[in-house]
Amino acid sequence: MDPTKRIAEGKESFKASSSTFNLAGTGWTWKGTATGDTFSILADVVAELDLTKPKDKRFSVKALRLDVTPTSEGTQLTFSGGVSFTRQGEQIICEAIDCFLDDSGVGDKNCKIIKARGQVVRTYLNQTIKGDSVIYFPKTDQLSVAGHVKLNEPTLNITSDTLAYDGRTGITLLQAVSEPTVAVKAQRK
């Protein structure tokens, strides 16, 4: 049988589970391709990712649609339309998120790269970061934000073109690319 000729679809509720994720929604399509199977959940997507991690490290996702595709970077889960991506104390709201699973065959299939785009707002505790796009590496706790970056805390407001945060060192680097300077407004108590 030629795997590229296998196609299925349905309008009913859809649920899929594995040891590392739970997916649910309404309406679905599935297609076999030469590079692997692809599928979509067409509406009302609810997902829980990284189930092998402790509850406070897992991601919960809500979106209008989910598309799953094999890629050279790993299995790509693309959540789109009013995306809410949360875990304890942290939330990302945006138009779309690409989550790449670790398909290396070593260990589990947790999210190794998360790419958010389209009016991205990330809140963590009392900090809000806004930008056009965010790339996050959960394993190393590294975060890059690009385009119209705004960082807000109760006593600090910063605007820049890019922001890079390294959770291992606690260092945040802000750069101005199109503007001559990074703007910082701090209130001292």
Side-chain angles (χ1 to χ4, degrees):
M1 176 197 265
D2 182 355
T4 62
K5 298 199 184 211
R6 297 181 300 166
I7 298 173
E9 60 184 35
K11 294 181 181 178
E12 63 275 357
S13 294
F14 176 88
K15 288 186 179 184
S17 296
S18 78
S19 61
T20 57
F21 63 80
N22 291 321
L23 305 173
T26 306
W28 57 276
T29 62
W30 171 84
K31 181 179 181 183
T33 71
T35 58
D37 295 345
T38 65
F39 76 90
S40 299
I41 300 176
L42 305 175
D44 307 322
V45 177
V46 177
E48 189 174 15
L49 308 176
D50 293 355
L51 296 180
T52 60
K53 293 183 178 180
K55 251 193 175 325
D56 64 336
K57 300 289 184 191
R58 297 177 187 174
F59 293 104
S60 295
V61 188
K62 291 184 180 179
L64 295 177
R65 181 182 173 103
L66 168 64
D67 296 292
V68 179
T69 311
T71 71
S72 60
E73 288 186 84
T75 300
Q76 178 178 335
L77 285 71
T78 299
F79 297 92
S80 58
V83 179
S84 172
F85 201 84
T86 61
R87 67 178 170 178
Q88 188 173 356
E90 177 181 14
Q91 181 177 39
I92 298 173
I93 303 288
C94 60
E95 294 172 8
I97 284 185
D98 297 319
C99 175
F100 294 88
L101 301 181
D102 185 354
D103 290 341
S104 64
V106 178
D108 48 45
K109 294 185 181 222
N110 288 320
C111 295
K112 67 176 181 175
I113 305 169
I114 298 166
K115 298 179 180 181
R117 61 189 183 281
Q119 299 177 10
V120 181
V121 178
R122 178 189 180 260
T123 55
Y124 180 68
L125 302 175
N126 64 351
Q127 180 187 78
T128 301
I129 299 173
K130 297 179 181 181
D132 295 338
S133 64
V134 170
I135 299 174
Y136 178 58
F137 297 89
K139 189 173 185 177
T140 59
D141 196 23
Q142 293 176 307
L143 176 80
S144 297
V145 184
H148 305 96
V149 176
K150 293 183 181 185
L151 173 107
N152 298 327
E153 294 181 1
T155 60
L156 182 68
N157 294 305
I158 301 173
T159 58
S160 70
D161 291 321
T162 65
L163 176 149
Y165 171 75
D166 187 331
R168 297 171 298 177
T169 63
I171 295 174
T172 301
L173 174 65
L174 299 144
Q175 290 184 308
V177 177
S178 62
E179 298 294 324
T181 61
V182 171
V184 178
K185 181 178 179 182
Q187 181 181 23
R188 303 242 184 227
K189 291 186 178 193

